[in-house]
Amino acid sequence: MGVLNDKLKGLTPYDPAPAGDRVRLDANESFLPMPASILERAQERLLQLDYNRYPDPAAKELCRAFAAWYGVPGENVAAGNGSDELISVIFLGFLEKGDAFATLEPDFSMYGFNGFLNEARQVKIPKNDGRIDVDEALRLCREEHVKLLIFSNPCNPTSVVLPREEVRRLARDFDGLLVLDEAYMDFSDQSLLGEFQDYDNLLILRTCSKAIGMAALRVGFAVGQKPLIDAIKAVKSPYNVNSLSQAYATAVLESGEELDRALATILASRKQLIGGLQELNAAFPGRFSLLPCDTNFAALRTPEDETIYRYLWDHGVAVRLTGGVLRITCGAENENQAVLAALRAYFQEG
């Protein structure tokens, strides 16, 4: 029985290799456990839930907590089951079959995947050593009649950030919907979140899976002018964020001092990891290049990427090989030391 169409026949489920007891520096999660004080506050909220009732479809309390933490109006925020779901909703709602959308390559693979599922036409605009040529991007978008331009800033997987002024230029001069995925912007200072009201074609995505350490809960947000946010709320499924995630994430987002401390700890880890990689780069010149870092991971370019990836895996460290770079998440001090020691051993052997 041929029930699978051509679009589905070649697809396989996402199934990452289990890291086992390896040092896990492959998924860009926070390495910090949730503080006991937040767990206690979250537990109080969970005990008060009506588990026999559906979740609040608008996730109003959660959106208010996010809005208060980031200093934006609550009416301009929509919550999703992770920013992955919001990306899917945007592609489903804002594009029609055959419409063109653009990505700035390399970038997060789910953009192209969602475009494929929605039978849109992808325009891949290449970067130059991880950097975006805004003039060229705008030219190609005009030439290809692009309806939606989406990119991560700072970029996953390159860790490079596009300066705020250049993003403003894209928002101002692009004649379509600009989706700015700021999943890693907590680690940088070039956000456009405080300026979203200036652009009626701008949607900004944020996640709680990186700096805020709630990857298990799957909570993400979209911010934009009210007509865009209302459209997202109309397209998404009614109960897309479950009550447990809403209650728990609200408690976390209301924990300002703990969030500040967590971010400071992750930034200290980044400094340690980048410093160690710079020392290796000086000790073994020509073996790899280290891209500028504005995320919670380091990105390495090397012709030996596949060999290094396998070597690290075999020596107890899981990293990610994607988009032409080796991506190493900042970890606890002992985890950073483990990957640096394994890299040093590899370079000494070769």
Side-chain angles (χ1 to χ4, degrees):
M1 182 169 59
V3 296
L4 294 182
N5 58 35
D6 290 339
K7 182 170 63 177
L8 296 176
K9 285 178 181 177
L11 296 182
T12 57
Y14 180 67
D15 186 20
D21 59 356
R22 292 175 176 83
V23 173
R24 295 200 57 181
L25 301 177
D26 58 329
N28 298 344
E29 306 143 319
S30 171
F31 61 89
L32 298 171
M34 196 62 66
S37 57
I38 296 181
L39 290 174
E40 291 173 6
R41 288 196 294 274
Q43 183 64 27
E44 292 175 4
R45 287 179 175 272
L46 297 181
L47 291 173
Q48 297 170 13
L49 289 181
D50 294 323
Y51 287 90
N52 58 318
R53 304 298 182 188
Y54 284 114
D56 172 13
K60 291 186 290 293
E61 191 175 6
L62 173 59
C63 288
R64 279 197 298 268
F66 173 89
W69 178 242
Y70 284 102
V72 297
E75 68 176 7
N76 295 102
V77 180
N81 182 17
S83 53
D84 277 347
E85 186 212 13
L86 292 168
I87 293 167
S88 177
V89 167
I90 289 167
F91 273 84
L92 177 64
F94 288 89
L95 290 180
E96 297 181 321
K97 182 178 179 179
D99 282 347
F101 72 99
T103 57
L104 306 174
E105 298 296 320
D107 212 331
F108 186 39
S109 62
M110 292 304 294
Y111 306 149
F113 178 74
N114 277 284
F116 169 79
L117 286 184
N118 286 282
E119 301 183 60
R121 178 171 63 89
Q122 184 175 9
V123 177
K124 296 182 179 181
I125 302 174
K127 296 173 182 173
N128 181 17
D129 196 27
R131 300 193 179 278
I132 297 167
D133 184 332
V134 170
D135 291 324
E136 179 66 4
L138 288 169
R139 185 190 69 79
L140 285 171
C141 285
R142 286 192 296 268
E143 185 178 286
E144 297 288 345
H145 305 289
V146 168
K147 298 285 187 68
L148 184 154
L149 170 61
I150 183 169
F151 70 102
S152 58
N153 195 45
C155 175
N156 173 24
T158 68
S159 75
V160 178
V161 69
L162 182 67
R164 185 185 292 110
E165 183 53 43
E166 294 291 87
V167 183
R168 289 188 187 118
R169 207 149 63 86
L170 278 173
R172 184 176 62 243
D173 296 342
F174 173 57
D175 186 22
L177 178 64
L178 177 63
V179 182
L180 180 59
D181 186 350
E182 291 192 347
Y184 296 90
M185 191 56 80
D186 288 306
F187 308 109
S188 186
D189 61 357
Q190 297 298 307
S191 177
L192 228 61
L193 202 58
E195 304 176 26
F196 77 90
Q197 293 281 24
D198 296 340
Y199 308 98
D200 61 5
N201 66 331
L202 176 65
L203 279 171
I204 299 176
L205 302 180
R206 284 295 186 111
T207 181
C208 289
S209 299
K210 312 304 178 187
I212 299 178
M214 291 192 289
L217 295 182
R218 309 305 302 128
V219 177
F221 299 92
V223 179
Q225 289 193 11
K226 197 168 183 301
L228 297 178
I229 294 302
D230 287 346
I232 287 177
K233 291 178 178 178
V235 174
K236 75 172 184 64
S237 61
Y239 307 112
N240 59 325
V241 183
N242 70 75
S243 295
L244 280 79
S245 290
Q246 288 190 37
Y248 198 117
T250 298
V252 175
L253 287 166
E254 290 176 346
S255 306
E257 291 185 4
E258 287 96 335
L259 295 181
D260 284 338
R261 283 195 291 270
L263 178 58
T265 302
I266 295 171
L267 290 174
S269 166
R270 181 176 77 181
K271 182 178 180 180
Q272 178 199 18
L273 178 62
I274 296 298
L277 290 169
Q278 289 171 335
E279 290 179 5
L280 286 176
N281 203 19
F284 303 97
R287 301 296 293 275
F288 70 92
S289 60
L290 180 63
L291 292 174
C293 181
D294 275 88
T295 59
N296 68 330
F297 61 87
L300 281 62
R301 279 228 171 92
T302 170
E304 305 171 65
D305 52 10
E306 291 188 10
T307 307
I308 294 174
Y309 171 81
R310 289 194 299 269
Y311 182 92
L312 293 177
W313 181 268
D314 292 341
H315 288 77
V317 180
V319 299
R320 185 80 188 273
L321 176 57
T322 179
V325 299
L326 272 174
R327 201 185 67 188
I328 306 173
T329 308
C330 304
E333 182 175 357
N334 65 305
E335 294 174 325
N336 288 344
Q337 293 295 351
V339 70
L340 291 170
L343 284 169
R344 181 174 291 277
Y346 170 83
F347 291 129
Q348 288 174 335
E349 290 177 15

